[in-house]
Each structure stands twice: as C-alpha cells, then as structure tokens.
Amino acid sequence: NITAIELDLIIKNNTALPTTSGLNKLRSVGEDFRIEKNTMLLRIEGFDSLKTVGKSVEFVDNTGLSSISGLKTLNYVGSIFRICCNPSLTEIDELSNLVTIAEGVQISDNESLETLDNFTALSTSKEIVISDNNKLIRLGGFQNLAKITGRLWIYYNVSLKSLDGLEFISNVEDLYIRYNDSLQSIEGIGPLMNIDGDLTIRDNNILSDCAVKSICEYLSNPNGTIDIRDNKSGCNTVAQVENTCLVGTNEVIKSEGF
C-alpha cells in the first residue's frame, strides 16, 4: 500500500529475485529509483501507478533481465533515465506518458536490444546518448522531442543502419556520430536539425553520404569544432562533404530555373 517514497528506491544485489512486484500503488519516488545487479531478475514490472521520480531512473547490470514494462504511467524524471549493461534485454515497453527527462537519456551496453522506439511522448530532455548496443538496428520513438540543449551522441552501435526516428529534433548542442559500422544513412538528422556546438562524424566504415541539409548548413556557418574523417569516400573529409553539398545546391538552383 506504499504510495510515496521520500528518498531513494534501490533494488540491488539480489541473487534470487525473478521479478519486481508489490509496489503497484507507488506513485512517486523523491530521489533515485535504481534497479541494479540482480542476477536472476527477468522482468521489471509492477510499477503501474508510478508517475514521478525526483532524480534518476536507472536499470543497470541485471544480467538476466529481458523485459522492462509497467512504466506506462511514468511522466517525469528529474535527472537521467539510464538503461545500461543488461546483456539479455530485448524489450522495453512503450513509455507512453514519459514527457520530461530533465537531464537526459542514456541507453548503452545492452547487447540484445534491437529496437529503441519507446520514448513516443518525450518532449523535454537535455541530452540523448545511445552507445554500445551491438544488435540495435532502429531508433525511432522520439517524434515529440524537438530540442536537445546538450549533446546527441550515437556511437559504437555496430548494427545500426540509419538515424531514422530523429528527424523531428530541431536543435542540438553537440552532434557526435562515431563507430557505427553498419550506418548507411544519416538522413534522419537532415530535415530540421540546427547544431549549435561541435560536430563529429567519424569511423563509420560504410557511410559515404553526409551531405544532408543540417550538415550542409552547419558547414557553411559552423559554431564549433568539426571532425569528419575515417568514413567511406564521400564522407571522409570536410572537403568531400562540402563539395557534395555544393553540387546539391547547384542542382536545386538549376531545377528551379535560377
């Protein structure tokens, strides 16, 4: 019958706990909510009334965890939302009411996670960091997130083929795309995104076309450090990208009869 916890809720170092349950009336956690290093935990569930967490939400180092669900009422996280180092995790249920994550989303080192299209209601987050998810093939799910006041970092996702799903983000501070071995297209960041800080696109082995609208506009009037290299020819140097941007601009001019 617990409805509120003033400080932390931490479930940690349990070697025989298969699931979380019994807190279905809990509505708020005042500070951190963390589930960590529970070796036999298979599912996170039973938080059907939880709406607010004052600081961070973290699911970390649960080696048998395959599913995160039961957070559909979660609306506000005051610090970071972090899912890290859960090698068996394959499913994150839709976080359909999670509007605000004040400091940022960090999804990293989840070896079995294939899709990330769960943050459909998210409209406020300082940063997004997605890294070291070996089977991740699709992002998506950020259609209501218009502005990131900090960094957008996507790196070491070796199966990720595109950045589709990020096309509604209109503003970021720093953009960092690196070590995504299967990345073929960055069109997902093309239509709207303004970059206010540094730009890094490097070590993406088969990425040959980086001349999307947002990158071309940034290169014409940069606001920070540019590091474009060690991608496939066409996106291997700043000059290559600038040349492709120029060709694209000339083609638009010709097609419009100027």
Side-chain angles (χ1 to χ4, degrees), residues 32-228:
D32 293 327
F33 172 31
R34 186 164 71 250
I35 298 179
E36 180 179 5
K37 294 183 179 178
N38 302 285
T39 54
M40 298 300 292
L41 183 64
L42 301 177
R43 296 180 304 280
I44 292 174
E45 58 187 358
F47 297 97
D48 301 320
S49 301
L50 183 63
K51 292 187 175 181
T52 65
V53 176
K55 291 187 178 178
S56 66
V57 173
E58 298 184 72
F59 306 125
V60 180
D61 282 322
N62 302 287
T63 55
L65 181 65
S66 63
S67 174
I68 297 174
S69 61
L71 294 172
K72 290 185 177 179
T73 60
L74 185 62
N75 176 261
Y76 175 87
V77 176
S79 183
I80 65 169
F81 188 100
R82 181 178 179 229
I83 302 175
C84 176
C85 316
N86 304 288
S88 302
L89 182 65
T90 59
E91 180 182 13
I92 305 171
D93 272 7
E94 185 174 347
L95 301 161
S96 54
N97 285 294
L98 184 52
V99 173
T100 300
I101 301 174
E103 292 300 314
V105 178
Q106 299 178 9
I107 312 293
S108 59
D109 289 285
N110 303 288
E111 297 175 8
S112 302
L113 188 64
E114 295 186 3
T115 62
L116 188 61
D117 49 11
N118 321 91
F119 295 89
T120 54
L122 186 65
S123 63
T124 302
S125 184
K126 183 177 180 180
E127 68 175 28
I128 303 289
V129 177
I130 302 170
S131 70
D132 297 277
N133 304 288
N134 290 342
K135 291 186 179 180
L136 185 67
I137 58 174
R138 188 174 73 247
L139 299 178
F142 293 99
Q143 58 262 40
N144 283 303
L145 183 61
K147 182 177 181 180
I148 298 174
T149 57
R151 57 183 178 164
L152 174 57
W153 283 22
I154 301 172
Y155 61 100
Y156 277 118
N157 302 288
V158 297
S159 300
L160 186 65
K161 294 182 179 181
S162 78
L163 301 184
D164 293 352
L166 303 178
E167 55 266 28
F168 297 102
I169 299 174
S170 62
N171 199 91
V172 299
E173 182 67 24
D174 297 327
L175 179 62
Y176 184 91
I177 303 169
R178 189 175 184 186
Y179 292 127
N180 303 288
D181 291 347
S182 301
L183 188 63
Q184 300 174 6
S185 170
I186 60 171
E187 286 286 345
I189 62 166
L192 300 174
M193 189 177 292
N194 295 310
I195 304 164
D196 293 331
D198 298 335
L199 171 65
T200 299
I201 306 175
R202 56 175 295 189
D203 302 295
N204 305 286
N205 294 339
I206 64 173
L207 181 63
S208 61
D209 184 4
C210 297
V212 297
K213 182 175 182 289
S214 57
I215 302 302
C216 292
E217 289 180 350
Y218 180 84
L219 293 179
S220 69
N221 186 25
N223 299 311
T225 302
I226 302 170
D227 188 4
I228 298 177

